[in-house]
Amino acid sequence: MLARIAQELFWLGRDLARAEHTARMLDGVFHADVAGAAGERDIALSWAELLAIIGEKAPAPGAVDGDGADLEALAGQPLAARLLGRAEVASLLTLDTDSQASIVSCVARARERGRGLRDVMSTEMWEALNTFHLGLAGRDLSAALVSGPYSVYHDVKERCALFWGLVERTMLRDEGRSFLEAGGRIEAADMVLRMLRVAVPPSPKRSGSEGEALALLHAVGGFQAYRRAVREAPTVGPVARFLLYDSSYPGSVASSVATLHSALSNADALPRSSPPVLRLGRLLADLELQRRAPDLAAGFDETLERVQEDLELVDSDIEDRYFAMAAAAAVHL
Amino acid sequence: MAEATQQGLLDDYQVPAGCRDELIDENGEPRPHAGPLIATLERLGPEALAAAGRRRDRIFMEQGITFEVAGTDGERRDRPFPLDLVPRVLPAKEWTTIKRGLAQRIRALNAFVDDVYHAHEIVRAGVVPWSLVVSRPAFARPVHGVRPPGGVYCHVSGCDLVRGGDGRWRVLEDNVRTPSGISYVLENRVAMTRLMPELFAGHRVRPVDHYPGLLLDALRAVAPAVDADPTVVVWTPGPANSAYFEHAFIARQMGVELVEASDLVVRDAVCYMRTTAGLERVHSIYRRLDDDFIDPLEFRPDSLLGVPGLVRAYRAGTVAIANAIGTGVADDKAIYHYVPEMIRFYLSEEPILDNVPTYLLEDEATRNHVLARIDELVVKPTSESGGKGVFIGPHASVSECEAQALRIKAEPERWIAQELVHLSTVPTETADGGLAPRHVDLRPFAVFGDEIRIVPGGLTRVALREGSMVVNSSQGGGSKDTWVLDDGGAVDLVPGTLPTHRPPPRLPDVRYGGWRGQAQQQQQQRRQQALPAISTPSFPAGKTR
């Protein structure tokens, strides 16, 4: 298939996965912010951390639309200055069209890409995408954020699920579908890794209070899956393990990497000599090996960093192997 | 503008005589701990409250948080569970008293159950008459001499508390069989954070969502010692039960199987569940049905809901049942009278929470005193629950009083009389979005495994009809979210509990890409080189390598 089309499908998948994860994290942080969390807090997952995860700059205190001050610059200031509120961060990451990290921007980008991909997508997929975008654009989001952000994030999650459901149901299982799926999965893995790296302490304790780790699960949407899959109380250690290694939970990093691996194997004409596929195979084996290690406390942060670096390399491998032709053309436009 | 709204909200607020309002003081001003809440309500105004009410009903219908009511035409239909949007707020200090008082009471009740089925010390000491104990319908002969692991009988309890005009908390009823309502506590909190997030501003509210974890820990702690992880199940009578929603909720939150009687089987005094992989041993059962129905071999032989042989397995110590069999003897209304004495007897402590003054009617002098004042008192049948057969003197006609007096004279041991408590009130939304005082009670939930743990707050039930003191949801009652504040009155707010602030690790930049992004960026660069004017791209250009 055309390199340009493949690249656009890949990024369409990424944009939607990012929108969904942003919505879930905002919802989780919002709930934890309002309802509080039990006991001692070993997890850092609040508004400022959310900005770091999404990679967005902090808005100046008080000014929602103003030019942002850098988070690192703020980090040196006393606590009060760093306490970014719900009002600033939630609106920046939800509805700010000037920020390319906001949910509306992600969806707008996905829909814009979709417009150019209508020949490879099913009509139902395009309509779901377009309705999603129009629904967000036509809604008074800032009012909805004040009275009940839950409904906004619920809507985003539902629309994303609808799109992926239609992919499953109506899109031909061809190369294009593989790139779409690969984009969605690499982004999902990246988002969960980012969240874990920011929120989890470098060496999580095995025991501890469970309140804050619930926030981690809510921010991915894996609370009930965790309860059924893991018998330990949801403290930081077991939850972090679950989100990184548990291949039976579709939102875990390991599960995303496995799906990414099989999607690229399907798309590639010569998977056995394909750098990204080979690299992913090694990463999967590594994850499996680490999962069996008895204790994750030692150097958990390094594990996370290594996995994320590997994924970055996979990303550039994908770019080189499949999209290089398109990139070359873009330069000459 | 603000003053006009304020007038609308609290001007007509009239607390009934003899009652205490928990959020508004005698002068019509908000009490200090409720200040921010009332201020927010005033700022939002009646329209916002009414709009949130409509959202609430829709969300509850969608999520299936409903209960069945019979309409006037006799047809049964689902109604959204009536959650009132104004929370009840308890300062930390008050909660500490309640918590300590409840833990003390539950320890005593637990000791009493153990005593009743073993040494009978309290009977020998002459505190509680043995004839009264054995005549309780919940007294369970089959478990005489059985001591469950850890000596814990009352794993889950929910005592009903009320607050009178003097501001004192009193225990109205104990419930150590299968108290229900915890699912509403958790769902109410989630609903409140979604519907009225503004109200939480200015308050630090203690979370409640760790309850399923506490319960699961307790159920594992009392399981018989085994090599592997103990298997815990929730046992429901089935979907036809009115509390089925709660059974499913608890099982889902704990991530354990929700079983019915047909899923369980006892072989050689060991309990198993039937799975796709054959029989799997069950170690701990959280049962949500009465003693009478759990084992047709030992209790009611006609019970289809029971598991034959379960009591045998229980006696053999191969399975833990929560709550233990026979706990109902401790929450009987005739036994209730003796609980303060139990606390002194077993714990050598003075009760922290009082009983509502109660009269047993077998003594002739007491009975005559009660009969003379029957129009002022509340009369309840012993061995009943759920508000069945309760007679409220001040609300009864002369002929009803006479009929009740005759019933008491005929069977004095079947009744108890209690002083009427003027239940405290809390501001509650009215149909037009205003606020009016409505009477409330409180049911905190305690879990007893290794130790007694109580979830902050509990279920506040509210009588939605003006002047009514009946809070049962089947009779026009609703519920409120119950907030226990972290307001500095508690000791556990120390610097270590503030969120950890670590400098974020070095993360790679989030990428934005795609063919169009690249192309647009190239074009834009070229355009910028040609023209100094800046045009905004239709979507942000991405970073490329």
Side-chain angles (χ1 to χ4, degrees), chain A residues 107-189:
Chain A
V107 174
R109 274 200 307 277
R111 184 258 196 171
E112 203 58 32
R113 294 189 207 283
R115 247 158 49 91
L117 296 167
R118 291 192 55 180
D119 53 330
V120 290
M121 295 207 287
S122 72
T123 316
E124 289 175 58
M125 282 161 61
W126 157 249
E127 278 176 12
L129 200 53
N130 198 32
T131 331
F132 188 8
H133 168 69
L134 294 176
L136 281 183
R139 192 168 167 184
D140 185 356
L141 286 175
S142 45
L145 270 193
V146 173
S147 66
Y150 161 73
S151 64
V152 177
Y153 302 132
H154 184 74
D155 210 33
V156 172
K157 289 185 276 186
E158 217 170 67
R159 290 290 178 170
C160 289
L162 176 67
F163 179 82
W164 291 110
L166 287 169
V167 171
E168 186 68 32
R169 189 69 189 78
T170 63
M171 191 179 186
L172 186 67
R173 292 211 173 97
D174 62 357
E175 220 184 312
R177 154 103 185 251
S178 295
F179 278 110
L180 182 61
E181 197 166 16
R185 302 315 294 195
I186 199 170
E187 185 66 32

Side-chain angles (χ1 to χ4, degrees), chain A residues 7-8 11 18 31 34 38 41 54 82 100-101 113 150 194 197 199 227-228 231 315 319 326-327 333, chain B residues 194 200 207 220 229-230 253 257 500-502 506 508-516 518 526 540:
Chain A
Q7 191 178 16
E8 286 293 285
W11 278 96
R18 191 175 295 168
H31 182 79
V34 168
R41 300 183 175 194
I54 310 281
R82 283 195 284 136
Q100 49 181 355
R113 294 189 207 283
Y150 161 73
R194 286 174 162 273
R197 286 193 63 191
R227 279 297 194 190
R228 287 200 74 85
R231 292 200 157 195
D315 201 14
E319 198 120 310
L333 254 184
Chain B
R194 289 176 178 174
F200 288 82
R220 285 199 185 129
D229 267 341
Q253 293 273 315
E257 298 297 339
T500 324
H501 271 285
R502 290 182 295 271
R506 191 207 62 82
D509 289 338
V510 167
R511 297 193 54 218
Y512 297 93
W515 188 82
R516 269 163 214 285
Q518 293 169 3
R526 236 166 288 148

Side-chain angles (χ1 to χ4, degrees), chain B residues 132 136-137 332-335 360 380-385 412-416:
Chain B
L132 184 71
R136 295 305 96 205
D332 190 281
K333 290 194 178 65
I335 297 291
L360 295 186
K380 294 176 176 175
T382 61
S383 319
E384 284 278 5
S385 64
E413 70 283 355
R414 275 204 58 222
W415 302 91
I416 57 161

Side-chain angles (χ1 to χ4, degrees), chain B residues 110 158 279 357:
Chain B
N110 195 70
L279 294 181

Side-chain angles (χ1 to χ4, degrees), chain B residues 46-117:
Chain B
E47 293 83 16
L49 207 56
R54 287 190 294 274
R55 282 206 305 277
R56 164 200 60 201
D57 291 351
R58 203 192 61 234
I59 291 181
F60 275 25
M61 286 306 277
E62 280 171 12
Q63 296 182 344
I65 307 172
T66 56
F67 71 107
E68 272 193 348
V69 284
T72 43
D73 50 355
E75 196 187 331
R76 298 188 72 82
R77 54 172 71 92
D78 276 351
R79 282 281 169 75
F81 185 76
L83 163 66
D84 182 76
L85 292 174
V86 185
R88 176 198 214 166
V89 188
L90 298 175
K93 216 170 144 216
E94 226 161 75
W95 173 249
T96 309
T97 313
I98 296 175
K99 193 169 75 171
R100 286 178 48 225
L102 276 178
Q104 179 193 49
R105 195 169 175 105
I106 291 160
R107 273 204 309 279
L109 289 171
N110 195 70
F112 176 70
V113 177
D114 188 75
D115 198 15
V116 160
Y117 296 112

